[in-house]
Amino acid sequence: MNKLRNITLTLFGVIMLIGIFAPTANAQLLDAAKERRAEIREIRRQDSIAYNNACKTGTLSAFNGYLKAYPKGLFVEQMNNRIADFDIWSKAKQANTIAAYNEYLSQSTTKAFKTEANEAITELESIDAWDKIKLTGSLQQVKAFIAQYPKSSRRAVAINRSHELQAVYYYNQHEWLKALAEFKKTNGRSSLEPKNQEMYDYCLEYDEFRKLDEYTPETTLIAYLNRHPNGYFYDKVSNIIAVNRAKRLDKYSTSTDYDNALAFARDYKTRAEVQHYISKSQAAAEAYQKELKAWERKQNGGWTDFVFGCDLTGNLGASEESQKICFDFIVGFRIGNYRDPLQFEVGLKPGFVMPSYYYDDYYGSYYDESESYFHMPIYGKLKINICNIGEKGKLFVFGEFDYNAVRDDYYESEMSAGGGIGLAWRHFDIGLYYQNDIDYIDPHSLGASVGFYF
C-alpha cells in the first residue's frame, strides 16, 4: 500500500508540474511560427520585386542577375523561360521590322515580350502610315492618324501638321486671324512647308496691319513700313501716310510739303486725292498771300495816299539880274506806297516866288529891288526805291516835271524838270533836288522838300 501510495503521489506531482509549465512553452512555439511566416513573406516580396525589376530592365544580364540572387526563387522557371526567349527577341529587335516581330510571336513559346512586340508592330505601322500622308494627306487623314495611333512617335509631328493644315484652310477662306491662331499652335515658321511659310508671314503682317488706320500716329506707320519694306500691305500703309499728310496741308505749306505727301502715294487714286488737297492748299496759300499783301499794303499806305507838304527852292547861284527864292505848299496824291518799288505822285504846288534883281542908274549907283508874286505849278513825280534804310525806311531817287499853270513869264518859264534823292517812311519823307527851268535864263535851282502822307 505504501508503494502504491508513493507512485500515486509521484504521478500527482508530475501532473501538477505539467499543468504549471505547459502554457509557457506553447506560447513560445506560436511566436516562433509567426516570425517564420513573416520572414517567408518578406523573402517572397523581395523575390517578386527583383523579378519585376529584371523584367522591366529586359536585358540578359538583368535576368542572370535575378537567378544569381535567387537560385531557388519563386520565378526561376519564368526567368529561365525569359532567358531562353531573349535570343529570339533580340534578333527581332535588331531587325526592327514588322515581319521580324511577327516571327518572334510565332516562334516564342513563352511570349515574354509579346506586349513589346505588339507595341513595336503598331509603332512601325504608324511610321509607315505617316510617311504616306505627311506631305499629301488631307486634314481629315491627319486627324484620323492621330486618333488611330495615340502612342505613335509621329504623333507630335502629326499634331503640328494638323494645325498647319487647319491654318491653310482658314487662310483660303480669308479668315486670317483664325489662320494665324492655328499657325501659332505649330512648332514655328521653320516647321511649315515653304509655301505655307508665306501664308504665315501674311497672317502675321495682317494682324499688325489691321490695328492701323488714318488716326494712327505717323511715327507708328513709318515704323511699320521700315519693318516690312516688302510687305503685303506696304502700299496701303504708305497711302494712309500720303493722305494724312495731304489733309494737313494748309495755306502755309510749301512745295516741299507737297512733294513729301506725293512721295508716299502708291497708286493713281491716292495721287489724285493728294493732288486735290494740294490744289486746295495752293488756293488757300494764294488767297492768304493776297490777304497778306493787302494787309501789308494797308499798313504801308494802301494803293493811294494824300500828300501835304512844302518845298523851298532857290537859284542863288544865278546871275545878279535873276536871283529868286520859291516857297511852295504841296497838295496831291500818290499812287503806290512808300515800300513799292515805283511810286507816282501828282498834285499842285501853290506858293510864292520872291525874285531879287540889281541895276545901276545913270550915276553909277546900284539898287536892290525885290517883289513877290503867286504861282502854282502842276507837278508829276516818279519815285524809285533804291534800298532799305533801317527797319522801316527807304532810300529813293525821283524825277519831277512841273507845268507852271500860274506864273510870271518874266521870272519863270512854262515848264521845269528836275530830280533828286530822299528818305521815306510810312507817313513822312524828305528830299533834296535839282530843278531846271526850261527856256529861262540862268534856270538852275536847288531845293528841299518835306511831305506828309495819310
Side-chain angles (χ1 to χ4, degrees):
M1 288 293 294
N2 289 331
K3 187 176 181 179
L4 181 60
R5 177 184 171 189
N6 291 333
I7 292 171
T8 300
L9 291 173
T10 300
L11 290 173
F12 180 76
V14 171
I15 291 170
M16 291 295 293
L17 290 172
I18 291 172
I20 293 172
F21 294 103
T24 302
N26 189 43
Q28 291 176 347
L29 290 174
L30 291 174
D31 291 341
K34 289 181 180 180
E35 290 177 1
R36 181 60 181 165
R37 285 195 296 272
E39 182 179 349
I40 292 172
R41 284 196 299 271
E42 179 61 22
I43 291 172
R44 289 178 177 177
R45 190 181 72 83
Q46 293 295 334
D47 187 351
S48 179
I49 292 173
Y51 174 75
N52 289 331
N53 287 338
C55 292
K56 186 181 295 184
T57 303
T59 62
L60 187 60
S61 60
F63 298 157
N64 288 325
Y66 170 80
L67 293 177
K68 184 177 180 180
Y70 299 93
K72 296 182 180 182
L74 299 174
F75 305 99
V76 170
E77 182 179 357
Q78 293 90 325
M79 191 56 71
N80 284 326
N81 290 336
R82 280 186 173 271
I83 291 172
D85 193 58
F86 187 81
D87 183 54
I88 304 174
W89 173 245
S90 297
K91 291 179 181 179
K93 283 185 63 178
Q94 186 175 3
N96 195 34
T97 63
I98 294 176
Y101 290 123
N102 283 328
E103 184 178 357
Y104 164 78
L105 291 174
S106 63
Q107 291 181 358
S108 174
T109 56
T110 63
K111 294 182 175 52
F113 298 97
K114 178 180 179 181
T115 301
E116 291 86 342
N118 286 329
E119 289 178 352
I121 290 171
T122 302
E123 170 64 13
L124 291 174
E125 288 176 346
S126 73
I127 293 174
D128 183 60
W130 176 248
D131 288 341
K132 292 178 181 178
I133 67 170
K134 63 181 180 182
L135 295 179
T136 59
S138 65
L139 178 59
Q140 291 74 16
Q141 288 176 313
V142 173
K143 288 184 176 181
F145 172 86
I146 295 172
Q148 184 177 354
Y149 300 103
K151 295 182 179 180
S152 173
S153 61
R154 300 298 188 267
R155 177 180 174 81
V157 179
I159 292 175
N160 186 83
R161 179 65 173 169
S162 69
H163 290 307
E164 179 180 358
L165 293 176
Q166 185 68 65
V168 171
Y169 170 78
Y170 285 136
Y171 180 89
N172 292 331
Q173 298 298 316
H174 296 174
E175 297 184 60
W176 294 302
L177 293 181
K178 289 184 178 180
L180 179 60
E182 291 297 325
F183 276 129
K184 287 184 175 181
K185 293 177 183 179
T186 66
N187 295 327
R189 185 178 186 275
S190 60
S191 68
L192 308 176
E193 288 188 63
K195 63 179 181 180
N196 296 338
Q197 290 177 359
E198 296 180 5
M199 296 182 186
Y200 179 50
D201 294 340
Y202 182 92
C203 293
L204 279 176
E205 188 181 347
Y206 172 77
D207 185 43
E208 186 176 353
F209 167 75
R210 72 186 180 88
K211 301 172 185 176
L212 307 177
D213 56 29
E214 60 182 308
Y215 304 106
T216 302
E218 185 173 300
T219 53
T220 302
L221 298 175
I222 294 294
Y224 174 91
L225 296 183
N226 292 335
R227 285 194 301 274
H228 305 284
N230 300 311
Y232 301 98
F233 304 100
Y234 185 96
D235 288 353
K236 291 185 178 181
V237 175
S238 186
N239 286 338
I240 292 175
I241 296 175
V243 174
N244 283 349
R245 287 191 172 189
K247 288 180 178 180
R248 293 198 298 268
L249 297 175
D250 55 23
K251 61 185 178 183
Y252 304 108
S253 299
T254 65
S255 59
T256 300
D257 298 322
Y258 303 153
D259 292 340
N260 288 338
L262 283 171
F264 283 91
R266 310 303 297 178
D267 54 44
Y268 175 80
K269 179 180 178 181
T270 304
R271 282 191 292 272
E273 184 175 2
V274 171
Q275 192 60 56
H276 169 71
Y277 285 105
I278 289 176
S279 298
K280 290 179 63 177
S281 172
Q282 290 173 334
E286 184 177 350
Y288 172 71
Q289 289 298 323
K290 289 181 179 179
E291 293 175 359
L292 182 62
K293 288 180 179 179
W295 179 84
E296 289 178 346
R297 179 167 294 280
K298 183 177 181 180
Q299 296 300 311
N300 296 331
W303 288 102
T304 60
D305 285 319
F306 289 102
V307 55
F308 293 95
C310 62
D311 65 8
L312 180 66
T313 61
N315 61 345
L316 298 179
S319 64
E320 293 179 350
E321 290 81 4
S322 61
Q323 293 180 356
K324 67 175 184 269
I325 297 174
C326 299
F327 180 81
D328 301 324
F329 294 98
I330 301 172
V331 180
F333 70 94
R334 177 178 64 184
I335 300 175
N337 61 65
Y338 84 106
R339 284 189 177 275
D340 288 334
L342 296 176
Q343 305 148 51
F344 179 71
E345 188 175 312
V346 64
L348 303 175
K349 297 172 66 173
F352 298 92
V353 179
M354 293 173 286
S356 298
Y357 60 91
Y358 300 85
Y359 65 94
D360 55 2
D361 61 3
Y362 180 78
Y363 300 102
S365 301
Y366 288 90
Y367 293 91
D368 180 3
E369 294 186 0
S370 298
E371 62 181 8
S372 62
Y373 64 89
F374 176 80
H375 79 151
M376 187 174 67
I378 300 173
Y379 76 94
K381 182 186 293 186
L382 179 66
K383 293 181 178 180
I384 302 174
N385 283 332
I386 303 300
C387 62
N388 294 326
I389 299 296
E391 294 183 0
K392 298 182 178 181
K394 290 287 186 179
L395 175 66
F396 66 90
V397 295
F398 67 93
E400 182 176 329
F401 177 83
D402 293 349
Y403 172 72
N404 297 313
V406 178
R407 65 187 182 279
D408 186 325
D409 291 332
Y410 182 81
Y411 294 105
E412 293 181 284
S413 63
E414 185 178 4
M415 294 175 289
S416 65
I421 189 170
L423 297 175
W425 292 269
R426 165 69 178 85
H427 296 289
F428 171 74
D429 72 10
I430 57 175
L432 299 175
Y433 62 92
Y434 165 81
Q435 189 176 39
N436 184 12
D437 284 351
I438 300 174
D439 297 329
Y440 184 70
I441 301 173
D442 295 330
H444 308 293
S445 299
L446 296 176
S449 64
V450 177
F452 299 91
Y453 300 84
F454 61 92

